[in-house]
Structures are given as structure tokens and as C-alpha cells.
Amino acid sequence: MSDKTMSAEEAVSRLRSGMTLGIGGWGSRRKPMALVRALLRSEVTDLTVVSYGGPDVGMLAAAGRIRELVAAFVTLDSIPLEPHYRAAREGGAFALTEIDEAMFMWGLHAAANRLPFLPMRAGIGSDVMRVNPRLRTVTSPYEDGETFVAVPALRLDAALVHVNRADRLGNGQYLGPDPYFDDLFCEAADEAYVSCEQIVDTAELTKAAPPQSLLLKRHTVTGVVEAPNGAHFTSCAPDYGRDEAFQKRYAATPWPQFAARYLAGDERAYRAAVEEES
């Protein structure tokens, strides 16, 4: 068993343009923002991004890094539609594959289990089949003969996720109310990079929380990045909530000005800029 710790920059250096990249979290909750910021400081582009979208998608879209987006939604939660995503999409900056939340989850399940697709009822009779003509149906081979949507696997070249705690081997723990499918993102990916609020010894992971909180297994994780406040400005319960004031500033600021102010330096520069205005 090896030590998988690395910096955010080292993790991003392993990514390549043209990859299919999954990003964990949900809307504006527990997004791996320190890793996303490091990605934005790199030259990686032409990405297919798979995400229950939030500011991760908004920033990457505004920066012109996305070739295609696979998403069920892109929201800041308290701000229903991510504004930078909306502007980029209305400008035709990238292709969009729309699937509903259940299809998205089933696509991750299929990829995690190395299946080409999984059948489900969601989508039958809805417009998701019209707006996504690549979706196919499949007929049950049994007596019922029911027709299902054949949800294709969301196979990922790499995944980025954020959790509360992890050890150096890649075991990751969430302490909040929801896992947000981050385990599936890691299992569906060839490589997975996990940022966390704190790296602890393996024995510490189950001292203050039950074994069920161990969401990520080390065999699915490629690298571990200690990034305190690494989900900012999204929430990372119970460590901190969403920074609503900063999120409103982000949503109201034109992208070039926001990027120049908050993304020009390293992560320490980002934190200093945030603290200066808080």
C-alpha cells in the first residue's frame, strides 16, 4: 500500500486535454473547487465534463475548457441557474447532453460495473428522449416484454471529488448528510483524485464516525490532496456551509474580472483574496 498524497497541481498535471472528466458533488455542495481552480490555472482544455453541475461547470464553461457537457442540471442551489454556464451555453460554446438525475446515476452505475448500459423506466414518454436522440431503448427478454431506456455507461478518464477526511492510502470519508454519488464517480473513472479537508491516519477515520461514512475505497483512488476549505465557496457540511455572500459576488461578476481577481495566483492567493473581501 502506497502513500498517494500529492498537491492539487500534481493531480492536475496528470490530466490531459480531450479527457472525459467527472466532477463530484451536487450543485453548489461539496464541489472539489480547489482542484477545479488548479485545473483552470493549467492548459488542459477540450474536456467532456460529466457533473451534477454547479460552479465547477460554470467556471470551466466560462473559461472555454468544455467541449461537451453531460449533466442533469447546472445550479448554484440558492441561485437556481448557474449564470456563467448559462451565458456560455447561450453563446453556443459547447455541446450539451441532457439526461435526468436518475439516468445520470444509472450511467455512473453502469460504468462502475463495467457494463455498456443499464435499463431503466425513467425517460419513457418524456422529452428527454427527444432532446437526446442518441438514447436508445431495449426490450425485456422475459415474458413481460417491457420497453426500457438503455442508459449508456458514463465512463470517465478521470474524476475529481472532495470529502471531509481521507487517509494517505486513498480511503475517503464524508461526514455530511449526503454522499452525492462521489463513490460512483471514482469507480467509473480510470483515475480519481480526491481532495479533502484533512488527511488523518487510517485508524482515525472510524473513531468519531461510523464505518458507513467511509465512502471512497483506496483501490478506486489515484491521488489524495489535503485542501482545507477546498470546497469553497460551495458547502462542505458539517465543516462549513456555502459562502452565500461570495457566491452572489461570483454570480454577479463578469468572468474576466472574476478570473483576474481570484484565479491569477495559486491557492494561497485565492484564499487571501477571499479573506480580503470578507
Side-chain angles (χ1 to χ4, degrees), residues 4-19:
K4 297 178 181 178
T5 57
M6 59 182 64
S7 68
E9 290 72 24
E10 287 174 319
V12 167
S13 73
R14 300 182 177 210
L15 305 181
R16 296 290 179 267
S17 295
M19 275 186 161

Side-chain angles (χ1 to χ4, degrees), residues 174-185:
Y174 80 106
L175 301 175
D178 200 314
Y180 304 132
F181 308 110
D182 286 353
D183 52 337
L184 291 180
F185 275 96

Side-chain angles (χ1 to χ4, degrees), residues 135-153:
L135 286 174
R136 299 288 183 265
T137 58
V138 63
T139 302
S140 168
Y142 298 104
E143 290 81 1
D144 57 282
E146 186 175 352
T147 297
F148 298 93
V149 177
V151 180

Side-chain angles (χ1 to χ4, degrees), residues 36-224:
V36 171
R37 289 189 289 270
L39 179 58
L40 286 163
R41 296 181 188 114
S42 77
E43 299 299 320
V44 175
T45 189
D46 196 37
L47 295 168
T48 295
V49 173
V50 178
S51 175
Y52 285 108
D56 54 325
V57 170
M59 291 185 181
L60 291 169
R65 306 298 183 91
I66 300 177
R67 179 182 74 247
E68 180 179 359
L69 174 66
V70 181
F73 54 76
V74 185
T75 180
L76 297 177
D77 292 315
S78 57
I79 300 173
L81 184 59
E82 218 285 355
H84 296 294
Y85 154 79
R86 178 177 184 171
R89 175 60 183 160
E90 289 177 346
F94 53 86
L96 176 63
T97 296
E98 293 183 88
I99 50 178
D100 73 14
E101 295 172 24
M103 286 180 173
F104 193 109
M105 177 189 70
W106 222 229
L108 290 176
H109 268 295
N113 287 280
R114 302 303 186 262
L115 295 171
F117 71 91
L118 280 173
M120 70 180 308
R121 293 186 176 93
I124 294 291
S126 78
D127 274 351
V128 72
M129 303 295 290
R130 178 182 60 81
V131 301
N132 190 349
R134 288 184 290 181
L135 286 174
R136 299 288 183 265
T137 58
V138 63
T139 302
S140 168
Y142 298 104
E143 290 81 1
D144 57 282
E146 186 175 352
T147 297
F148 298 93
V149 177
V151 180
L154 291 176
R155 193 83 185 102
L156 310 173
D157 294 313
L160 307 178
V161 304
H162 186 80
V163 293
N164 300 88
R165 303 197 300 176
D167 65 13
R168 295 178 178 276
L169 304 177
N171 298 297
Q173 180 178 53
Y174 80 106
L175 301 175
D178 200 314
Y180 304 132
F181 308 110
D182 286 353
D183 52 337
L184 291 180
F185 275 96
C186 292
E187 292 167 13
D190 293 335
E191 302 174 3
Y193 299 96
V194 178
S195 59
C196 64
E197 295 297 314
Q198 183 183 17
I199 291 177
V200 299
D201 291 336
T202 303
E204 295 295 318
L205 291 173
T206 55
K207 281 188 176 180
Q212 296 92 321
S213 64
L214 296 177
L215 181 64
L216 309 181
K217 310 303 186 292
R218 63 177 183 264
H219 71 276
T220 68
V221 173
T222 309
V224 179

